[in-house]
Amino acid sequence: MKAKGKVWSMFMLLLITVVMTAGCGNKGNNEGQGGNTAGGTETSTPTTKNDKDIVIAINSNFITLDPHNASDTHSISAARTMYEGLMGFDENMNVVPVLAASHSISEDGLVYTFTLQENVKFQDGTDFNAEAVKVNIARIQDEKNNLRLRKSFAKVAKVETPDAKTVVITLSEPYNAFLNKVAMAPIISPKALTENGADITKMPVGTGPFKFKEWVQGDRLVVEKNTDYWQKDLPKVDSITFRPVPENGSRIAMLKTGEADFIYPMPTEQVSEVEGLEGITVDTIDSTIVRYVTLNTMKKPFDDVKVRQAINYAINKDAYIKVVKSGLGAKLDSTMSSKTQYYSQQTGYDYDIEKAKQLLAEAGYPDGFETEIWGENESETMKGMQFIQQQLALVGIKLDVKSMEGGTLSDQINAAKTPEEAKIQMWYVSWSPSSGDADGATRGLFSSEMFPPAGSNTAYYKNENVDKWIAEANKAVDPEAAKSIYANIQKTVWEDAPWTFMGVDQIISGKRSNLEGVKVFPDGSINVLNAEVK
């Protein structure tokens, strides 16, 4: 991130579009157009692959190496090889301490006190200390910098550094998701910020296990071992070369030949091609990426909850996972993935044609109705919309599938300044909160303050209780209280059905079997801290 404090699924769909349409991807076709090298003058060659130099093939380019401005998961992955934050995430998206040895939160939820790890240095040899944290937060908050993380730190009223290893952050009001937002904020060397300024994206300097070597845009990013890394016995490989390889078949071929040690994503339709091959391992995990269909609750016939519930009953979600996702996914059983904070499982909406017909009849649509569904024009989205079209036809709903290029679709949705102007009826789309917090999976999608273009509540869903609970959840100091509030939100939204709840993606990666420790987290970011060749 996702996502991407909140990673708008459009990015994921754009990635898929690139994957499906790009025509080049092998090593020979990925020659770069120029690049950046540590120190700015070295002319480098691609890293030679051996036991200590690993190659990771991904499906698209990095957008930025500025860790405070990254919104796509590949850029976030790259940043996390070189940078670390006070907090981070484990493989289940739990927030864990990294550069903070410990932390405490005041009873009123306003004051966060971090005690820092000692004897940590940036890769330029300068000390990591409290002042460095203060400088970084000031950079994030500076409106002139216009960084993507700024909204996440909008409630920070004061940063104090009583000594070199203590940082005290005071908020203007409680913010339940603040620790997750802290985990999305890597710390940059203040010396590098002073010397490199806006060019920090070309010369990254953090405290991470790897340090920047070169970035040849479109061809490779190379990071090499930080021999002065503060965590004992890490890292265990000498270098990592990331190669953007948009074409699915080329990534698979690189894995087969050993040109790549790890590939992500593994295209679902090609998993069977490599599964079981000697020397190759395919890993799958559940993700935070949910897929759904927006139902415009302010337009007929979707203004009737019985119609919305009928559509949920009319679609066979098990068949959807099997047909559209090649069996690699799970039914969506709440408003968020089970990997997202404060997830609460819901029940109901099992496939039931007769129940769907009964609800449609009760709503005054015994013979169904005609409507349209929007989605992007890449192949898997098209396949999903056509599946939904076939399913709804069985209950008399005639669906017109309208696919659009991503930018056009975004314009169509955000052009409406009021709910009355909105033309959207149904939209097949996905969403992932890359910071893993429930706020990221809720407020932008279900708060009535988040109708387009201000937010992504494209169902134009409005429930006064849900609005009130979202505000209360954000200010909740007690995690158990927040969990209880989010459970109420999920239950209510599930029953109101502003979405057709479709599925949760599985994240699929492939690796050479002698590589261990490289993991894709539920948000789609790649973690290489424990990479090791055995």
Side-chain angles (χ1 to χ4, degrees):
M1 149 111 126
K2 33 194 59 256
K4 61 188 188 185
K6 288 175 295 199
V7 179
W8 185 228
S9 61
M10 207 167 290
F11 174 73
M12 299 298 295
L13 297 177
L14 279 171
L15 292 187
I16 295 169
T17 301
V18 171
V19 166
M20 299 306 296
T21 58
C24 62
N26 59 32
K27 181 178 178 181
N29 287 339
N30 271 331
E31 294 301 324
Q33 302 301 310
N36 312 309
T37 303
T41 56
E42 180 184 351
T43 300
S44 58
T45 56
T47 302
T48 301
K49 181 182 180 306
N50 57 43
D51 284 349
K52 296 293 184 180
D53 302 303
I54 66 173
V55 176
I56 296 176
I58 54 178
N59 64 338
S60 63
N61 294 324
F62 300 100
I63 305 300
T64 180
L65 294 184
D66 185 335
H68 298 162
N69 207 32
S71 62
D72 62 289
T73 49
H74 286 336
S75 295
I76 290 170
S77 298
R80 288 176 180 169
T81 65
M82 298 172 279
Y83 292 105
E84 296 169 310
L86 296 179
M87 310 297 288
F89 297 98
D90 68 13
E91 59 188 276
N92 292 311
M93 298 302 292
N94 297 309
V95 178
V96 294
V98 182
L99 290 178
S102 63
H103 73 277
S104 62
I105 305 172
S106 64
E107 289 188 3
D108 60 8
L110 292 175
V111 182
Y112 288 67
T113 302
F114 297 92
T115 301
L116 308 186
Q117 297 279 2
E118 296 186 73
N119 302 315
V120 177
K121 288 187 178 295
F122 289 102
Q123 293 145 7
D124 58 11
T126 57
D127 291 334
F128 164 73
N129 52 33
E131 183 61 23
V133 177
K134 186 174 183 178
V135 167
N136 275 259
I137 294 176
R139 178 180 190 255
I140 291 169
Q141 287 190 296
D142 190 336
E143 192 172 348
K144 294 194 298 294
N145 293 328
N146 194 28
L147 297 167
R148 292 182 183 274
L149 276 181
R150 186 162 65 89
K151 283 186 178 178
S152 297
F153 285 77
K155 298 184 191 303
V156 173
K158 185 168 57 176
V159 180
E160 297 171 289
T161 55
D163 57 56
K165 64 174 188 178
T166 307
V167 178
V168 182
I169 300 175
T170 303
L171 305 184
S172 57
E173 64 180 48
Y175 184 23
N176 186 269
F178 183 65
L179 215 53
N180 292 67
K181 306 308 182 188
V182 170
M184 293 295 293
I187 305 299
I188 304 172
S189 159
K191 178 174 182 284
L193 283 173
T194 300
E195 294 179 352
N196 302 329
D199 285 338
I200 194 65
T201 187
K202 300 176 183 175
M203 290 171 274
V205 182
T207 63
F210 296 91
K211 57 185 181 181
F212 177 72
K213 181 178 181 183
E214 65 172 344
W215 181 23
V216 180
Q217 294 186 39
D219 184 69
R220 63 187 179 273
L221 166 69
V222 184
V223 295
E224 58 187 7
K225 182 176 186 175
N226 175 7
T227 54
D228 297 320
Y229 186 55
W230 61 279
Q231 291 203 57
K232 188 178 179 183
D233 297 330
L234 292 174
K236 296 177 180 177
V237 296
D238 290 340
S239 75
I240 299 175
T241 299
F242 292 92
R243 288 197 177 278
V245 182
E247 205 278 317
N248 287 352
S250 295
R251 285 199 309 284
I252 293 284
M254 289 175 72
L255 182 65
K256 283 180 173 178
T257 61
E259 187 179 357
D261 301 283
F262 190 93
I263 67 170
Y264 173 72
M266 168 80 75
T268 56
E269 70 275 12
Q270 291 179 285
V271 169
S272 59
E273 185 180 329
V274 296
E275 211 163 30
L277 290 183
E278 185 178 358
I280 292 177
T281 302
V282 176
D283 288 327
T284 62
I285 62 166
D286 292 335
S287 77
T288 56
I289 305 166
V290 300
R291 296 193 181 271
Y292 57 94
V293 179
T294 276
L295 304 172
N296 188 336
T297 60
M298 291 194 178
K299 278 192 178 297
K300 286 186 177 300
F302 308 111
D303 58 346
D304 191 323
V305 66
K306 290 184 178 179
V307 171
R308 304 194 298 267
Q309 291 174 339
I311 292 174
N312 271 285
Y313 281 112
I315 297 175
N316 186 334
K317 315 298 172 36
D318 290 318
Y320 164 77
I321 298 299
K322 185 176 182 180
V323 172
V324 180
K325 307 300 293 183
S326 302
L328 297 167
K331 289 193 295 185
L332 177 59
D333 57 7
S334 187
T335 60
M336 60 181 71
S337 156
S338 62
K339 293 294 184 181
T340 301
Q341 178 192 39
Y342 301 142
Y343 156 81
S344 174
Q345 186 179 29
Q346 309 299 311
T347 58
Y349 301 137
D350 292 334
Y351 183 51
D352 190 336
I353 287 282
E354 295 307 315
K355 178 75 171 177
K357 289 180 177 177
Q358 176 193 334
L359 286 167
L360 285 174
E362 290 174 6
Y365 301 96
D367 300 319
F369 53 85
E370 295 183 11
T371 187
E372 63 185 28
I373 186 169
W374 293 357
E376 291 210 23
N377 57 357
E378 50 84 24
S379 58
E380 188 176 295
T381 297
M382 289 289 296
K383 192 174 182 180
M385 290 194 291
Q386 289 162 358
F387 175 85
I388 293 166
Q389 180 186 46
Q390 292 165 4
Q391 294 277 293
L392 294 187
L394 299 178
V395 295
I397 299 175
K398 296 177 182 176
L399 206 57
D400 184 14
V401 172
K402 292 190 173 180
S403 61
M404 291 175 250
E405 182 274 332
T408 304
L409 181 53
S410 178
D411 290 344
Q412 287 277 342
I413 289 166
N414 292 306
K417 304 304 178 191
T418 66
E420 293 74 23
E421 293 178 7
K423 295 179 181 177
I424 185 172
Q425 297 178 45
M426 300 173 69
W427 180 21
Y428 176 56
V429 67
S430 65
W431 179 273
S432 174
S434 65
S435 54
D437 58 272
D439 179 53
T442 304
R443 184 158 52 101
L445 301 168
F446 303 116
S447 167
S448 64
E449 296 178 349
M450 292 295 178
F451 293 161
S456 300
N457 182 355
T458 51
Y460 291 94
Y461 173 68
K462 181 176 176 57
N463 181 304
E464 291 181 359
N465 283 331
V466 170
D467 283 344
K468 178 171 68 76
W469 290 334
I470 288 173
E472 290 176 355
N474 268 323
K475 294 180 180 178
V477 176
D478 179 3
E480 287 301 315
K483 182 178 180 180
S484 175
I485 296 169
Y486 277 113
N488 284 336
I489 293 172
Q490 290 168 75
K491 181 175 186 294
T492 301
V493 175
W494 180 263
E495 291 171 352
D496 286 347
W499 291 358
T500 303
F501 303 94
M502 299 299 295
V504 180
D505 283 7
Q506 280 195 322
I507 284 176
I508 310 165
S509 58
K511 67 173 185 177
R512 302 296 302 179
S513 299
N514 62 344
L515 177 67
E516 294 186 0
V518 179
K519 293 182 179 295
V520 183
F521 284 4
D523 66 336
S525 64
I526 303 170
N527 184 287
V528 296
L529 175 62
N530 293 295
E532 183 176 9
V533 179
K534 291 190 172 179

